[in-house]
Amino acid sequence: MTQAQGVVDGGGSATLRPDYMHRFRPTVAKPIISEILRSTLGNAKYQAEGMVELSTGIGEKLVERLVAEPGLERYKYVANVSIFQNNGQGARMCIGATWDPESDAAVQETFTNESIRCVAVVLAAYVY
């Protein structure tokens, strides 16, 4: 059976959870997020008026790239990208929402350069 089909157990009932190889794996997503942040923000300078468009563009790239990742096509993604001016201040951010802990997950990655601090969080929810 494919990942999109239910698996019928010995009692005749079906389960719609993804098999192990098709579960969202933060260890696969984290390097993808890191590479997108690095390539997009590597030498960027903070300019308040352009940050909304920049963070929206990064979020769209993250979702496009994760949807294209083999084995993760049946997930819906929510990307939250926040960009701050890096003035040496500390910042903590946390977001999470898991509807089914066996198949849904969240992953977070941070990027910092001399001018910008960016936190990207991606939530992944399996589509049954």
Side-chain angles (χ1 to χ4, degrees):
M1 290 193 167
T2 67
Q3 68 164 355
Q5 296 173 326
V7 177
V8 179
D9 65 19
S13 63
T15 178
L16 296 175
R17 297 202 189 324
D19 61 35
Y20 178 77
M21 292 304 296
H22 295 102
R23 288 186 182 163
F24 182 80
R25 295 172 306 281
T27 56
V28 171
K30 198 166 180 117
I32 293 169
I33 297 168
S34 180
E35 185 269 320
I36 290 172
L37 294 180
R38 240 188 350 266
S39 66
T40 306
L41 299 173
N43 296 320
K45 300 287 184 206
Y46 184 84
Q47 296 175 353
E49 56 277 347
M51 294 300 109
V52 171
E53 293 82 11
L54 185 58
S55 61
T56 300
I58 291 170
E60 290 170 354
K61 284 182 192 177
L62 292 173
V63 171
E64 287 171 12
R65 181 82 180 274
L66 289 169
V67 166
E69 189 67 24
L72 300 179
E73 304 89 356
R74 291 207 34 137
Y75 279 86
K76 293 255 183 182
Y77 298 98
V78 175
N80 180 1
V81 179
S82 300
I83 299 176
F84 310 94
Q85 185 172 9
N86 187 5
N87 289 329
Q89 77 281 12
R92 293 233 177 235
M93 185 174 198
C94 180
I95 187 171
T98 304
W99 297 273
D100 184 344
E102 291 185 25
S103 60
D104 304 340
V107 62
Q108 174 181 314
E109 185 63 30
T110 303
F111 173 85
T112 304
N113 69 16
E114 291 181 12
S115 179
I116 290 176
R117 176 170 292 179
C118 177
V119 179
V121 180
V122 176
L123 305 175
Y126 188 74
V127 178
Y128 295 99

